[in-house]
């Protein structure tokens, strides 16, 4: 922790006085690591430039900390969290820890959490509850909570008050501090808490243990400045900071050299990539135009915000090649009035205009989206507008959610006045439409030949292989195990609601 963060640190006011830990004077925690989150600070957007640390190394004194020990990380939430888990796994292994898939074998267990909706948080609290028994049987196991929930003071307070078996809490901006935090947690009898409410700098050169060797994630930017009124992410992930193009390109080249076939460029709002550079005019379009020249079969990116989706990017994507013909373009609602209160900063008409431009440039594009139903004051008519927009665009599929108020966001101050039955009914109607359109679109594949990146055996049947098309359709088919990790041609025999079944028709196609 640097001096700045120490000064900005906040003391948690534990609010349950009948609780043993809350009677304590927390100031003594400063002897160990104790920095608690503050959503108000997290909301601030300073003007200071992003600092890049290109030479990050784990200090030698921590080497061997994990010798003879095993770690287990459970990941909730989005791809950003999945990738953070890969970085933490990299740090653990650099320290000498070994990965385990069995909680009972682990010496350290981390929950990498998601705060996006209440049910995401409830799942984590359920798991924290379960871990209590494990800690009782094995008091030496170290239990940690990290990720987006740690950035919320209400969560940290609740853990401090009710879940004394947790040993450490840290946030999304300081995962590179994991070695220090582990060391502190081993030495301290108290809960180690270090959550920075000001975003950290951009740290390059962090170790990573990737989950697979076929598809890889590459961060292009961190944070979000959009502040959609319902969303907690700008508070949990801080301000938008882009990685430098050279660092990204180098990482993609490395993955290509290692034989990866697909990469996904990651950011909460990748279309804002480069807006924070002070020295160069460089956006996502420029980056994609460079990356498409790298010899790797497929390049995806997620997630796009419609507002920043510019014509240059459309032109670059239309060049095709390894840039896939799938765009995830969250719309959230089909009603201009609702979009306004959500602060999405586009109208129904502008969204449809963007879709029209994209389809004109990329006639075969597959579009998917995110939709929230039951936002405060959403009327039946406004919900109908969402359905009609869905029909008009004919999305390939969608993630659909019931609105969940998040403490600290502007929408949480509005009355959550749509009854749960109505929200559920709207969700059901929307999902029925999503399924209908998806099934119709998949049906069109019957008899066609698609290119599939084979990921492995199907989850339900080891005799069947599974993989995805460039449009992200899951295909199950019979084929030799040697096809795993390769791009192969599959003839689609049958379309299900969500997946395609087929048979492989050629030998594997080597692309690299
Ligand atoms: N950065 C991405 C979204 C990340 S969150 C983007 O803007 O596209 C993924 C999805 O969760 C959002 O698109 C939204 O549909 C949903 N979501 C976010 N906050 C929510 C809330 N408070 N209640 C319900 N759904 C929410
Ligand atoms: Fe949340 Fe909006 Fe940012 Fe997406 S763009 S992460 S929905 S605030
Ligand atoms: Fe969840 Fe944080 Fe991702 S809130 S959706 S894990 S950025």
């Amino acid at each position: 922790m640097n001096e700045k963060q120490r000064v900005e640190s906040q003391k948690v006011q534990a609010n349950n006085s009948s609780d043993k830990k809350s009677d304590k004077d927390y100031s003594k925690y400063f002897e160990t690591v104790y920095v608690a989150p503050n959503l108000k600070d997290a909301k601030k957007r300073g003007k200071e430039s992003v600092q890049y640390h290109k030479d990050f190394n784990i200090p030698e004194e921590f080497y061997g900390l994990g010798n003879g020990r095993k770690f287990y990380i459970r990941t909730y939430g989005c791809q950003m969290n999945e990738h953070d888990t890969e970085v933490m796994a990299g740090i653990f292994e650099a320290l000498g820890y070994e990965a385990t898939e069995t909680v009972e074998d682990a010496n350290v267990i981390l929950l990498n959490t998601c705060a996006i909706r209440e049910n995401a948080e409830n799942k984590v609290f359920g798991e924290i509850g379960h871990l209590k028994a494990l800690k009782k049987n094995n008091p030496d196991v170290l239990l940690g909570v990290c990720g987006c929930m740690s950035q919320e003071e209400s969560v940290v307070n609740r853990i401090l008050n009710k879940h004394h078996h947790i040993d450490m809490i840290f946030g999304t901006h300081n995962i590179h501090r994991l070695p220090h935090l582990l060391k502190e947690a081993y030495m301290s009898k108290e809960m180690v808490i270090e959550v920075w409410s000001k975003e950290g700098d951009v740290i390059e050169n962090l170790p990573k243990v990737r989950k697979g060797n076929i598809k890889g994630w590459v961060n292009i930017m961190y944070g979000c400045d959009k502040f959609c009124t319902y969303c907690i992410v700008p508070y949990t992930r801080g301000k938008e900071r882009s990685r430098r193009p050279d660092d990204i390109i180098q990482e993609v080249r490395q993955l290509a050299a290692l034989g990866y076939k697909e990469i996904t460029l990651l950011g909460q709002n990748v279309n804002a990539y480069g807006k924070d550079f002070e020295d160069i005019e460089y956006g996502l379009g420029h980056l994609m135009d460079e990356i498409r020249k790298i010899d790797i079969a497929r390049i995806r990116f997620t997630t796009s915000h419609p507002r920043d989706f510019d014509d240059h990017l459309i032109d670059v994507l239309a060049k095709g090649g390894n840039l896939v013909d799938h765009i995830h373009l969250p719309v959230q609602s089909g009603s201009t009035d609702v979009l306004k209160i959500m602060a999405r900063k586009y109208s129904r008409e502008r969204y449809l205009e963007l879709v029209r431009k994209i389809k004109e440039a990329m006639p075969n594009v597959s579009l998917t989206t995110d939709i929230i139903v039951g936002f405060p004051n959403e009327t039946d008519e406004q919900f109908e507008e969402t359905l009609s927009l869905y029909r008009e665009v004919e999305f390939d599929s969608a993630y659909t959610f019931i609105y969940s108020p998040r403490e600290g966001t502007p929408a949480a101050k509005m009355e959550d006045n749509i009854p749960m039955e109505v929200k559920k009914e709207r969700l059901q109607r929307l999902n029925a439409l999503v399924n209908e359109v998806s099934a119709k679109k998949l049906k069109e594949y019957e008899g066609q030949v698609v290119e599939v990146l084979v990921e492995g055996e199907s989850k339900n049947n080891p005799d069947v292989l599974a993989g995805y098309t460039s449009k992200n359709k899951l295909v199950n088919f019979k084929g030799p195990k040697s096809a795993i990790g390769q791009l192969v041609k599959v003839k689609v025999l049958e379309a299900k609601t969500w997946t395609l079944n087929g048979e492989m028709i050629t030998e594997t196609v080597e692309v690299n």
Side-chain angles (χ1 to χ4, degrees):
M1 159 177 46
N2 65 31
E3 235 6 78
K4 192 169 101 195
Q5 269 120 11
R6 192 182 288 278
V7 173
E8 282 159 358
S9 71
Q10 291 274 323
K11 250 182 15 168
V12 160
Q13 299 300 318
N15 46 20
N16 181 349
S17 59
S18 65
D19 183 279
K20 262 190 263 147
K21 271 203 179 178
S22 62
D23 290 332
K24 289 185 182 164
D25 172 9
Y26 286 104
S27 61
K28 80 181 197 65
Y29 276 60
F30 286 99
E31 289 157 22
T32 59
V33 179
Y34 188 76
V35 186
N38 180 311
L39 281 186
K40 285 210 179 81
D41 281 346
K43 192 178 171 181
K44 290 181 191 147
R45 290 295 184 264
K47 283 265 170 278
E48 39 323 311
S49 323
V50 175
Q51 302 294 312
Y52 294 88
H53 301 271
K54 304 243 178 181
D55 49 0
F56 176 81
N57 277 311
I58 294 173
E60 259 175 50
E61 72 218 65
F62 295 109
Y63 288 177
L65 187 65
N67 287 352
R69 289 171 164 154
K70 291 183 180 168
F71 73 96
Y72 174 96
I73 309 176
R74 178 159 294 174
T75 314
Y76 302 81
C78 64
Q79 296 97 329
M80 204 73 63
N81 256 16
E82 298 277 347
H83 189 48
D84 284 351
T85 289
E86 294 181 334
V87 173
M88 290 190 282
I91 297 176
F92 272 119
E93 296 201 5
L95 294 173
Y97 289 85
E98 203 186 303
T100 173
E101 292 296 314
T102 323
V103 205
E104 288 75 21
D105 285 350
N107 304 94
V108 185
I109 298 170
L110 289 187
L111 304 182
N112 189 8
T113 62
C114 171
I116 201 80
R117 282 169 291 274
E118 194 184 353
N119 56 6
E121 297 208 349
N122 290 344
K123 264 194 240 163
V124 171
F125 276 111
E127 187 58 30
I128 290 177
H130 289 147
L131 289 175
K132 196 168 183 175
L134 193 107
K135 181 81 174 178
K136 215 170 183 178
N137 286 339
N138 176 9
D140 288 338
V141 66
L142 206 67
L143 302 181
V145 175
C146 59
C148 286
M149 277 171 70
S150 304
Q151 297 290 141
E152 300 177 285
E153 58 246 56
S154 59
V155 168
V156 172
N157 281 339
R158 185 164 157 191
I159 296 175
L160 264 169
N161 285 329
K162 302 225 169 77
H163 303 286
H164 302 165
H165 58 292
I166 297 299
D167 301 289
M168 65 175 177
I169 307 178
F170 60 98
T172 57
H173 301 309
N174 57 341
I175 59 180
H176 61 287
R177 297 251 317 147
L178 185 57
H180 303 76
L181 297 169
L182 286 165
K183 184 93 181 201
E184 284 285 344
Y186 285 124
M187 285 171 8
S188 166
K189 286 201 192 70
E190 310 292 350
M191 205 184 286
V192 168
I193 302 175
E194 187 182 272
V195 183
W196 298 351
S197 298
K198 274 238 153 297
E199 52 285 336
D201 303 329
V202 171
I203 319 249
E204 294 295 342
N205 203 29
L206 287 166
K208 294 176 190 103
V209 174
R210 295 184 189 269
K211 218 171 158 193
N213 53 9
I214 303 170
K215 305 206 287 193
W217 312 112
V218 175
N219 271 128
I220 64 167
M221 60 183 299
Y222 305 95
C224 181
D225 289 347
K226 280 282 179 276
F227 288 101
C228 304
T229 52
Y230 50 80
C231 183
I232 195 75
V233 171
Y235 307 79
T236 64
R237 293 276 169 175
K239 79 169 180 183
E240 288 172 357
R241 287 105 62 210
S242 304
R243 287 179 74 198
R244 300 297 297 187
D246 289 353
D247 294 320
I248 298 168
I249 290 164
Q250 192 195 1
E251 188 173 343
V252 177
R253 286 215 179 100
Q254 273 170 1
L255 291 175
L258 287 168
Y260 282 78
K261 296 290 192 288
E262 178 178 308
I263 56 143
T264 303
L265 305 176
L266 286 184
Q268 283 304 341
N269 169 16
V270 286
N271 300 77
Y273 175 75
K275 286 193 193 300
D276 53 323
F277 292 149
E278 290 165 355
D279 55 338
I280 42 172
E281 277 288 320
Y282 195 95
L284 184 63
H286 300 97
L287 184 70
M288 297 296 279
D289 211 12
E290 294 274 330
I291 290 184
R292 75 187 180 84
K293 295 172 194 148
I294 300 175
D295 189 11
I296 194 155
R298 286 182 183 171
I299 296 159
R300 302 182 184 279
F301 60 93
T302 197
T303 303
S304 280
H305 190 295
R307 184 173 162 92
D308 297 324
F309 211 108
D310 58 32
D311 292 350
H312 180 220
L313 178 63
I314 298 178
D315 290 345
V316 172
L317 293 178
K319 294 180 185 177
N322 55 4
L323 306 182
V324 301
D325 43 4
H326 170 218
I327 301 172
H328 186 64
L329 196 63
V331 65
Q332 313 301 355
S333 165
S335 151
T336 297
D337 289 337
V338 174
L339 289 168
K340 202 173 217 159
I341 311 171
M342 287 176 164
R344 291 290 287 181
K345 300 191 179 79
Y346 54 83
S347 60
R348 172 190 177 96
E349 289 69 32
R350 271 212 36 209
Y351 185 89
L352 288 171
E353 174 60 15
L354 175 62
V355 167
R356 193 194 56 73
K357 272 202 256 176
I358 293 174
K359 285 185 173 172
E360 196 176 274
M362 306 166 71
N364 283 321
V365 72
S366 143
L367 293 172
T368 55
T369 199
D370 291 350
I371 294 172
I372 297 175
V373 301
F375 192 74
N377 300 318
E378 185 190 56
T379 63
D380 281 336
E381 292 74 28
Q382 289 168 336
F383 171 65
E384 294 290 338
E385 288 188 77
T386 298
L387 296 179
S388 75
L389 179 131
Y390 198 93
R391 276 199 193 281
E392 194 167 335
V393 177
E394 286 217 305
F395 291 104
D396 280 49
S397 73
Y399 295 106
T400 56
F401 309 102
I402 286 180
Y403 167 68
S404 166
R406 307 316 296 134
E407 198 183 317
T409 62
K413 295 195 187 78
M414 303 173 201
E415 197 191 340
D416 183 16
N417 55 2
I418 311 295
M420 189 44 93
E421 293 142 60
V422 176
K423 287 178 175 169
K424 284 192 174 153
E425 197 213 287
R426 286 182 188 167
L427 187 72
Q428 262 174 17
R429 284 186 61 201
L430 177 60
N431 284 345
L433 176 61
V434 170
N435 290 352
E436 178 199 314
V437 178
S438 159
K440 180 183 141 210
K441 294 208 142 195
L442 285 180
K443 197 87 187 150
E444 291 165 9
Y445 282 92
E446 284 183 356
Q448 285 189 25
V449 174
V450 290
E451 191 174 62
V452 177
L453 176 55
V454 191
E455 293 191 15
E457 292 165 2
S458 149
K459 273 191 197 123
N460 306 324
N461 181 355
D463 295 334
V464 171
L465 297 178
Y468 289 86
T469 67
S470 65
K471 291 186 167 64
N472 231 7
K473 311 284 182 206
L474 178 59
V475 186
N476 293 306
F477 64 98
K478 285 225 155 74
K481 298 271 189 282
S482 59
I484 294 173
Q486 304 297 323
L487 283 146
V488 302
K489 301 260 188 257
V490 174
K491 178 155 186 183
V492 177
L493 301 175
E494 190 194 6
K496 304 267 182 188
T497 313
W498 290 109
T499 60
L500 300 170
N501 288 344
E503 65 187 10
M504 196 170 132
I505 57 163
T506 56
E507 290 302 300
T508 58
V509 187
E510 257 302 337
V511 285
N512 278 328

